[in-house]
């Protein structure tokens, strides 16, 4: 079925739910007027619908291949990428001084969602480059910015992240890739990296690798890691491509999904690299890139949820199976008339809206922090990022699984395309920090303020619930009571001195928080309609049927860790 970019949905969420107008009112983002935003989303939607979405199945059926040392991408991906590049979409939020548009990050979030819903495998390419642009802009020396940023922003060159090694996954500090000074300002980089998305391709230009490595005098662990720029081709001073660097693709990973995205094992053999930022401060520079990527990955999950939802909606309105409850009563005569199918469709639609609103609220906080320098906005963005990444990707997984279920037996058949959404999205809960690590970050570092930001957002939820009680008393009361339960769990979490007690309930706490926050945004959507309309009905479904899950999540979150260690290792692994 054709993919339809959710442009109208984005316009609604930006205008009525997450307060994007305050971003456009700042001097920094004054050009992000409603007309500009609508024009950009319309153009991006047209590109996604007409160019990227038709290539999605090609990426799955004809994966990227490594032939004679060269990565060959899926049929049509070259043309698809060229269309992205010609539109200037890699530089939407990039600095104007280097050729970018300088528009808000929240708008880039929308673009990443739309691209991912149309074609996640190809949409992953610009996402990585955007992250590298951010890292270089904040940490690279001026000469490197001048040379690399215009090329990356235009899309002529692409960027990657090189963190993971066979023995160093989440424990980045265990990496062994070496960087030896050459005495001329360059470094010899040697080592192997795995899981490098778009580590090589035949789309043209240069592939610019941001590589974590360790200098000879480096301290052990993450404190001894530096970040280096290691390009596939060593550029000349004028930006033209020079000699090939001493690096190669060893192999491509055989993956569960996103087959069109080449995931490379990279080998560096005294490759020439240049330091990004300061020696031994590589993690700070890399985290700039990773934090950008974490929100973008959340948008990938939401984009896949949108694609899977549309796919399931079309099938449910076409598939006839037996006599329906609405036979002769104005129904469609299709499985869309059955209560259980309606439950699944409503769940998919309600969760996609909630996840999208949470992610865009995070994007708005990032933009406001950037525009104002206000530490409160920065803290808000930091707190919302793990929620946006985790709930966005978990929503993508859940919604795509429900899409398969709605298709019934046909969902298990690859030709229908339903299974591809489920296979493609599964990695999003793993990369850029697993969702468990996101949750642990949320209850540890993001609560170093004693839970102040977590509580401030709960206060906002309760204020909205109070204002809703006049017109939507049942929903307003339910959201207010849920927020109080969340407040109690937050106080418990912030009060635990033993971080392992927090970690034991970190994921259910995050999911419980997301459930309540999603209800808050659904309630706001209902209020814009005056309490009557399709958004109100969707909000009522979410608040009455999905919001109650927060009770179980938060009960689980506050159990501590002791019972987990009552098991012997043998009992858990037998």
């Amino acid at each position: 079925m054709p993919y339809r970019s959710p442009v109208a949905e984005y316009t609604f969420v930006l205008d009525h739910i997450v307060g994007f107008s305050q971003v456009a009112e700042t001097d920094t983002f004054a050009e992000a007027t409603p007309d500009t935003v609508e024009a950009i989303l319309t153009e991006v939607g047209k590109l996604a619908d007409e160019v990227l979405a038709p290539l999605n199945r090609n990426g799955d059926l004809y994966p990227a291949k490594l032939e004679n040392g060269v990565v060959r991408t899926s049929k049509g991906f070259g043309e698809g990428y060229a269309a992205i590049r010609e539109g200037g979409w890699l530089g939407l939020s990039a600095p104007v001084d280097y050729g970018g548009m300088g528009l808000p990050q929240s708008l880039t979030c929308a673009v990443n969602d739309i691209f991912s819903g149309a074609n996640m495998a190809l949409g992953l390419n610009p996402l990585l480059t955007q992250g590298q642009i951010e890292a270089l802009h904040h940490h690279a020396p001026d000469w490197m910015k001048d040379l690399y940023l215009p090329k990356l922003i235009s899309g002529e060159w692409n960027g990657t992240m090189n963190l993971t090694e066979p023995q160093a996954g989440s424990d980045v500090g265990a990496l062994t890739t070496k960087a030896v000074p050459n005495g001329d300002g360059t470094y010899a980089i040697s080592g192997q990296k795995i899981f490098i998305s778009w580590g090589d391709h035949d789309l043209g230009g240069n592939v610019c690798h941001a590589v974590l490595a360790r200098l000879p005098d480096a301290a052990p662990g993450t404190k001894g890691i530096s970040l280096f720029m290691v390009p596939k081709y060593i550029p000349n001073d004028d930006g033209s491509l020079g000699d090939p660097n001493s690096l190669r693709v060893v192999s491509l990973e055989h993956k569960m999904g996103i087959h069109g995205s080449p995931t490379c094992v990279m080998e560096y053999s005294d490759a020439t690299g240049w330091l990004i930022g300061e020696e031994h401060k590589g993690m700070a520079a890399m985290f700039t890139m990773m934090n950008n990527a974490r929100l973008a990955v959340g948008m990938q999950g939401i984009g896949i949820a949108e694609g899977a939802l549309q796919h399931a909606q079309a099938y449910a309105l076409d598939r006839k199976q037996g006599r329906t409850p609405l036979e002769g009563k104005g129904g469609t005569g299709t499985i869309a008339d059955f209560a259980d199918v309606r439950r699944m469709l409503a769940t998919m639609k309600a969760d996609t809206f909630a996840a999208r609103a949470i992610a865009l609220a995070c994007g708005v906080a990032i933009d406001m922090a950037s525009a104002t320098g206000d530490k409160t906005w920065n803290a808000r963005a930091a707190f919302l990022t793990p929620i946006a990444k985790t709930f966005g990707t978990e929503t993508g997984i859940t919604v795509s699984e429900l899409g398969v279920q709605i298709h019934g037996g046909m969902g298990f058949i690859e030709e229908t395309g339903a299974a591809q959404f489920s296979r493609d999205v599964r990695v999003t809960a793993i990369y850029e920090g697993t969702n468990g690590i996101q949750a642990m970050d949320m209850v540890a570092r993001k609560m170093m303020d004693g839970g102040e930001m977590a509580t401030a957002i709960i206060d906002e939820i309760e204020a909205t619930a109070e204002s809703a009680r006049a017109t939507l008393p049942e929903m307003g009361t339910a959201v207010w009571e849920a927020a109080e339960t969340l407040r109690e769990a937050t106080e418990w979490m912030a009060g635990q001195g033993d971080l392992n007690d927090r970690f034991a309930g970190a994921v259910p706490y995050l999911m419980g928080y997301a459930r309540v926050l999603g209800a808050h945004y659904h309630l706001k959507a209902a209020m814009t309609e005056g309490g009557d309309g399709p958004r109100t009905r969707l909000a009522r479904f979410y608040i009455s049927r999905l919001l109650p899950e927060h009770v179980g999540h938060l009960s689980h979150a506050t159990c501590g860790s002791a019972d987990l260690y009552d098991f012997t290792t043998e009992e858990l692994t037998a």
Side-chain angles (χ1 to χ4, degrees):
M1 61 154 286
Y3 171 77
R4 303 180 309 278
S5 297
V7 173
E9 187 73 357
Y10 260 105
T11 302
F12 175 81
V13 175
L14 289 170
D15 290 348
H16 300 289
I17 305 300
V18 298
F20 181 77
S21 60
Q22 61 192 320
V23 175
E25 289 168 2
T26 66
D27 291 340
T28 303
F29 299 118
E31 293 187 8
T33 63
D35 287 345
T36 298
V37 171
E38 184 177 1
I40 286 173
L41 292 179
T42 299
E43 283 302 309
V44 167
K46 183 178 179 181
L47 168 61
D49 298 355
E50 297 179 3
V51 179
L52 304 186
L55 298 173
N56 192 39
R57 193 67 175 147
N58 278 359
D60 196 48
L61 296 176
Y62 309 103
K65 295 180 179 180
L66 180 61
E67 297 178 345
N68 299 319
V70 178
V71 175
R72 306 294 184 190
T73 51
S74 303
K75 292 196 304 185
F77 272 35
E79 292 79 4
Y81 177 74
I84 294 173
R85 178 186 166 188
E86 288 164 10
W89 303 123
L90 285 91
L92 190 64
S93 297
V96 175
D97 292 347
Y98 296 97
M101 300 185 199
L103 290 167
Q105 187 65 40
S106 41
L107 198 51
T108 293
C109 286
V111 172
N112 287 333
D113 175 342
I114 290 170
F115 282 175
S116 296
N119 190 327
M120 179 179 159
L122 182 53
L124 179 53
N125 180 299
L127 184 155
L128 293 161
T129 301
Q130 290 165 359
Q132 190 173 105
I133 291 168
E134 187 82 4
L136 294 181
H137 183 230
H138 285 91
H139 299 282
D142 288 342
W143 72 264
M144 189 180 292
K145 294 179 186 178
D146 293 341
L147 179 59
Y148 283 85
L149 284 180
K151 299 287 190 180
L152 293 167
I153 289 169
S154 71
E156 182 179 346
W157 294 357
N158 298 122
T160 74
M161 286 191 291
N162 282 236
L163 293 81
T164 307
E165 299 178 7
Q167 80 293 341
S170 299
D171 182 13
V172 179
L175 67 82
T176 59
T177 297
K178 297 178 181 179
V180 179
N182 288 325
D184 60 357
T186 66
Y187 298 80
I189 312 297
S190 299
Q192 188 178 93
K193 298 288 185 177
I194 63 173
F195 303 156
I196 310 306
S197 298
W198 283 93
D200 194 40
H201 53 75
D202 58 358
L203 302 182
N206 209 352
V207 183
C208 308
H209 301 287
V211 182
L212 287 179
R214 196 180 299 280
L215 290 164
D217 61 345
T222 56
K223 292 182 179 180
I225 295 175
S226 301
L227 183 63
F228 300 87
M229 171 60 71
V230 189
K232 177 180 179 179
Y233 297 102
I234 298 174
N236 298 314
D237 292 342
D238 63 359
S240 61
L241 298 183
D243 295 333
N245 212 339
S246 185
L247 56 87
R248 70 186 184 98
V249 180
V250 176
S251 62
L252 297 185
E253 307 287 4
H254 299 281
K255 300 171 298 186
M256 177 179 178
I258 53 170
H259 296 150
S261 169
T263 303
C264 303
V265 176
M266 300 295 302
E267 183 175 84
Y268 299 88
S269 303
D270 290 330
T272 302
W274 289 264
L275 186 66
I276 300 173
E278 300 178 40
E279 291 185 354
H280 315 308
K281 299 292 180 65
M283 288 306 295
M286 184 58 81
F287 265 114
T288 299
M289 192 171 183
M290 289 182 68
N291 284 334
N292 178 297
R294 283 171 175 170
L295 178 55
V297 169
M299 303 315 301
Q300 286 183 315
I302 297 162
I304 289 287
E306 178 69 40
L309 169 61
Q310 291 186 23
H311 209 69
Q313 288 170 328
Y315 185 81
L317 287 172
D318 180 70
R319 176 67 166 167
K320 295 185 177 182
Q321 191 78 355
R323 183 178 178 83
T324 77
L326 298 179
E327 201 85 22
K329 301 177 183 178
T332 65
T334 67
I335 63 170
D337 292 348
F338 289 109
D340 188 56
V341 173
R342 289 182 166 231
R343 173 192 63 81
M344 290 188 282
L345 288 171
T347 299
M348 296 166 78
K349 194 175 182 70
D351 266 349
T352 300
F353 173 87
R356 182 172 282 138
I358 290 170
L360 282 181
C362 182
V364 165
I366 291 171
D367 290 329
M368 291 302 294
S370 174
T372 66
D374 190 318
K375 292 182 179 179
T376 301
W377 279 113
N378 193 60
R380 184 185 184 93
F383 183 78
L384 288 175
T385 295
I387 304 176
K389 192 273 184 183
T390 301
F391 190 66
T393 58
E394 294 292 344
T395 294
I397 291 169
T398 300
V399 168
S400 61
E401 287 180 349
L402 286 173
V404 172
Q405 189 69 19
I406 285 174
H407 280 75
M410 296 304 294
F412 203 65
I413 304 301
E414 287 288 354
E415 283 77 4
T416 64
Q420 184 184 343
F421 292 111
S422 189
R423 289 186 288 101
D424 284 354
V425 77
R426 188 60 186 85
V427 71
T428 61
I430 298 170
Y431 60 18
E432 305 310 333
T434 65
N435 286 355
I437 288 175
Q438 300 297 320
M440 291 165 68
D441 173 62
M442 178 184 176
V443 301
R445 284 193 298 176
K446 304 303 167 58
M447 283 193 173
M448 289 176 66
D449 61 359
E452 183 177 340
M453 179 50 62
T455 301
I457 295 174
I458 293 171
D459 291 342
E460 294 175 19
I461 295 171
E462 291 191 350
T464 297
E466 284 287 357
S467 66
R469 280 178 162 171
T471 55
L472 299 165
E474 291 184 7
M475 287 197 283
T477 298
V479 174
W480 191 90
E481 291 175 350
E484 276 297 289
T485 304
L486 178 58
R487 186 187 300 276
E488 293 172 4
T490 300
E491 291 172 351
W492 182 93
M493 192 66 71
Q496 302 310 303
D498 184 346
L499 284 181
N500 214 33
D501 285 333
R502 300 191 195 188
F503 294 159
V507 169
Y509 174 76
L510 185 152
M511 294 301 290
Y513 203 110
R515 267 282 167 251
V516 179
L517 192 54
H520 165 66
Y521 292 126
H522 269 290
L523 187 58
K524 290 184 72 173
M527 292 167 69
T528 66
E529 289 186 325
D532 183 32
R535 294 191 182 278
T536 301
R537 288 187 282 277
L538 191 64
R540 185 172 292 112
F541 171 87
Y542 183 99
I543 291 169
S544 64
R545 292 175 181 261
L546 302 183
L547 175 60
E549 292 176 2
H550 81 279
V551 176
H553 285 310
L554 298 178
S555 176
H556 185 171
T558 55
C559 285
S561 63
D563 63 328
L564 299 179
Y565 293 93
D566 287 341
F567 295 101
T568 65
T569 302
E570 290 75 15
E571 287 172 337
L572 290 176
T573 58

